[in-house]
């Protein structure tokens, strides 16, 4: 019996680890396949996959001499993890018997053979495991293995763009004197935070010689002061106040992505360090391109906490489409196995590779088009430990 398993897991019993012991190398036949004997009768089995989907091909021998394939009635049952059985029937072709079904991946199963030749029935059996290991519940917990059931998910297509935080021009006020006159006093400096209605300066009117206050029209920060006592107001802007509790983010969208972006596109904006994010929606797209051929798309962000400072650069993730898919897995569970992208399915205490055919993906999910059944339990966290455990066993892909 040839088997592969979980290797030297700490604290596991000899019985639990028995399948990981050094496996015996089975004899090989003239065609490079496994050579199994039952008295004078022998079969050579090979999974052939050169230029065709994987299929079993079998050569029969009696007293080490080839047997005409028409003289052998052969069937093989493959029992996979979880008890799923594949029955293969064979028909003669040239000098071998050819199986009638594709042997899908993984090639990991118990092989039960029943062959009738010369009126005698020969029953043979062996384990052909690959990409499989056994990890008991206590060890799985120690490893931090987490699992989920594979099922439906929503794949969100995104594009990444870059831009800059700007003051929300609807929250900017240029403050000047209502009546021209001499500035008597100034109560605030650039950088001061003011509240709506707060006095900024006092002016004596040139016409009435009456003194009046210039008050803040909104709450915010004084970003510019152009007023000093004794000066004439002269119709100029004396103060600029910005309320940065709401800001604009202008993102550069390039021509290749323009058709995918609209005024209802959802956006997640990340600050310059990528540590803070905020969600918004595009409210305006310019109709004229910039010098670099990009088009500016505007997002209005709530900024009550001041996390996004006007003038700083940001990154935006634009959600351009959503796709509800019937089957997907988390990207955190993906590993490589031979030339395949896989997840590790869990059945009881056993874990085994599932080779995936993949479709659309986003940061969290990847669509599964084949290789995994809906409702299968698979490893989502620390799957690399399962991979390492399987690799310690040294399983060899069967041909």
């Amino acid at each position: 019996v040839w088997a592969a398993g979980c290797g030297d897991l700490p604290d596991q019993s000899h019985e639990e680890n028995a399948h990981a012991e050094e496996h015996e190398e089975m004899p090989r036949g003239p065609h490079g396949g496994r050579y199994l004997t039952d008295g004078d009768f022998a079969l050579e089995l090979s999974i052939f996959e050169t230029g065709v989907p994987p299929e079993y091909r079998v050569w029969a021998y009696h007293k080490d001499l080839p047997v005409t394939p028409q003289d052998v009635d052969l069937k093989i049952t493959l029992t996979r993890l979880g008890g799923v059985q594949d029955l293969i029937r064979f028909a003669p072709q040239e000098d071998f018997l050819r199986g009638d079904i594709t042997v899908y991946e993984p090639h990991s199963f118990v092989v039960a053979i029943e062959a009738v030749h010369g009126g005698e029935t020969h029953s043979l059996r062996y384990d052909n495991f690959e990409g499989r290991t056994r990890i008991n519940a206590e060890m799985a917990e120690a490893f931090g293995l987490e699992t989920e059931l594979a099922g439906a998910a929503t794949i969100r297509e995104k594009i990444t763009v870059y831009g800059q935080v700007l003051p929300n021009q609807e929250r900017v006020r240029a403050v000047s004197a209502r009546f021209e006159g001499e500035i008597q006093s100034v109560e605030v400096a650039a950088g001061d935070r003011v509240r709506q209605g707060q006095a900024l300066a006092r002016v004596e009117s040139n016409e009435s010689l009456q003194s009046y206050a210039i008050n803040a029209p909104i709450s915010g920060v004084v970003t510019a002061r152009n007023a000093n006592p004794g000066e004439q107001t002269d119709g100029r802007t004396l103060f600029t106040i910005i309320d940065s509790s709401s800001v604009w983010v202008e993102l550069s969208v390039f021509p290749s992505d323009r058709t995918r972006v609209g005024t209802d596109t959802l956006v997640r904006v990340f600050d310059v360090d990528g540590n803070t994010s905020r969600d918004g929606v595009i409210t305006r797209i310019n109709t004229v391109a910039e010098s670099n051929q990009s088009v500016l798309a505007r997002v209005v962000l709530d900024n009550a906490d001041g996390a996004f400072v006007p003038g700083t650069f940001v990154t935006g993730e634009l959600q351009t489409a959503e796709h509800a898919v019937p089957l997907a897995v988390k990207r955190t569970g993906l590993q490589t196995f031979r030339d395949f992208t896989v997840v590790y399915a869990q059945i009881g205490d056993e874990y085994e590779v599932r080779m995936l055919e993949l479709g659309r993906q986003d940061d969290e999910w990847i669509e599964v088009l084949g290789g995994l059944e809906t409702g299968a339990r698979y490893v989502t966290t620390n799957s690399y430990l399962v991979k390492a455990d399987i690799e310690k066993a040294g399983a060899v892909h069967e041909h």
Side-chain angles (χ1 to χ4, degrees):
V1 176
W2 182 92
C6 63
D8 300 324
L9 287 176
D11 303 326
Q12 287 196 296
S13 69
H14 175 76
E15 180 179 356
E16 289 172 326
N17 244 351
H19 67 293
E21 294 176 358
E22 191 94 12
H23 60 265
E24 297 178 4
E25 186 65 35
M26 277 195 169
R28 296 286 168 174
H31 303 90
R34 290 175 177 269
Y35 196 79
L36 309 174
T37 60
D38 184 20
D40 291 335
F41 182 74
L43 292 174
E44 180 184 356
L45 288 79
S46 176
I47 298 178
F48 187 83
E49 46 190 330
T50 303
V52 296
E55 62 184 28
Y56 262 109
R57 294 186 177 184
V58 180
W59 293 263
Y61 304 89
H62 184 258
K63 293 184 178 181
D64 296 330
L65 296 176
V67 171
T68 303
Q70 286 81 357
D71 293 340
V72 179
D73 183 12
L74 175 66
K75 66 179 180 180
I76 292 179
T77 302
L78 308 178
T79 302
R80 296 178 179 270
L81 184 63
V84 176
Q85 291 190 328
D86 302 328
L87 176 62
I88 307 175
R89 300 189 183 277
F90 290 80
Q93 182 171 320
E94 300 175 1
D95 64 338
F96 59 88
L97 292 147
R98 182 181 183 184
D100 64 350
I101 67 170
T102 297
V103 185
Y104 62 88
E105 297 279 7
H107 296 166
S108 182
F109 29 66
V110 176
V111 183
I113 305 162
E114 185 176 300
V116 179
H117 172 253
E120 292 188 18
T121 299
H122 303 274
S123 296
L124 301 163
R125 179 186 178 95
Y126 68 93
D127 292 344
N128 187 88
F129 296 154
E130 72 161 345
R132 183 187 295 192
T133 188
R134 182 185 297 275
I135 304 175
N136 64 37
E138 293 78 9
M139 190 54 60
E141 183 177 359
F143 280 176
L145 300 185
E146 295 180 8
T147 63
E148 290 187 15
L149 298 180
T154 299
I155 306 292
R156 294 176 172 86
E157 290 186 17
K158 299 176 183 177
I159 57 175
T160 300
V161 295
Y162 302 95
Q164 190 174 21
V165 180
L166 300 174
N168 183 336
Q169 292 301 313
E170 296 176 359
R171 304 287 184 95
V172 177
R173 296 293 185 270
V175 183
S176 57
R178 184 175 181 183
F179 305 104
E180 300 298 336
E182 181 181 325
I183 300 171
Q184 294 181 313
S185 64
V186 178
E187 312 299 334
V188 297
D192 285 354
R193 182 171 293 278
V194 296
R195 65 184 183 279
Q196 185 177 11
Q198 180 179 336
L200 304 177
R202 294 197 68 82
V203 175
E204 181 184 84
S205 171
N206 289 338
E207 294 183 3
S208 68
L209 301 180
Q210 296 293 315
S211 176
Y212 68 93
I214 299 175
N215 298 325
I218 61 171
S219 298
V221 174
V222 177
T223 60
R225 165 185 154 168
N226 189 25
N228 292 297
E231 296 177 344
Q232 286 291 317
T233 55
D234 288 338
R236 68 182 185 272
T237 297
L238 303 177
F239 305 95
T240 302
I241 300 174
I242 296 178
D243 175 9
S244 59
S245 63
S246 172
V247 293
W248 287 352
V249 173
E250 292 196 339
L251 301 169
S252 297
V253 179
F254 285 91
S256 58
D257 297 319
R258 175 62 187 87
T259 58
R260 303 166 62 191
V261 179
T263 54
D264 58 349
T265 298
L266 299 177
V267 184
R268 177 161 291 176
V269 179
F270 295 86
D271 69 2
V272 66
D273 296 321
N275 297 324
T276 302
S277 66
R278 196 141 297 154
D279 293 336
V281 63
I282 289 178
T283 58
R284 182 177 181 273
I285 300 176
N286 282 1
T287 56
V288 178
E290 302 297 303
S291 60
N292 63 358
Q293 297 304 296
S294 69
V295 173
L296 293 180
R298 180 181 299 164
V299 183
V300 180
L301 286 187
D302 178 89
N303 192 42
D305 59 358
F308 290 85
V309 179
T312 58
F313 294 106
V314 293
T315 301
E317 286 186 352
L318 278 60
Q319 182 179 310
T320 57
E322 280 190 353
H323 306 281
V325 299
L327 183 58
V329 294
K330 286 190 171 179
R331 292 169 57 89
T332 54
L334 298 178
Q335 295 294 333
T336 56
F337 183 85
R338 302 203 323 263
D339 296 330
F340 298 95
T341 299
V342 305
V343 292
Y344 291 98
Q346 178 198 11
I347 298 178
D349 284 350
E350 294 190 278
Y351 298 78
E352 188 176 75
V353 293
R354 292 291 181 265
M355 288 74 165
L356 303 180
E357 180 184 353
L358 300 174
R360 293 163 292 194
Q361 59 183 289
D362 60 19
D363 293 340
E364 183 178 10
W365 298 99
I366 187 162
E367 181 182 14
V368 176
L369 303 176
L372 189 71
E373 298 295 325
T374 298
R377 183 168 292 279
Y378 70 101
V379 180
T380 58
T381 303
N382 292 337
S383 58
Y384 71 94
L385 294 173
V386 182
K387 176 182 179 179
D389 201 53
I390 289 172
E391 289 177 343
K392 284 194 296 184
V396 179
H397 180 56
E398 178 68 6
H399 294 281

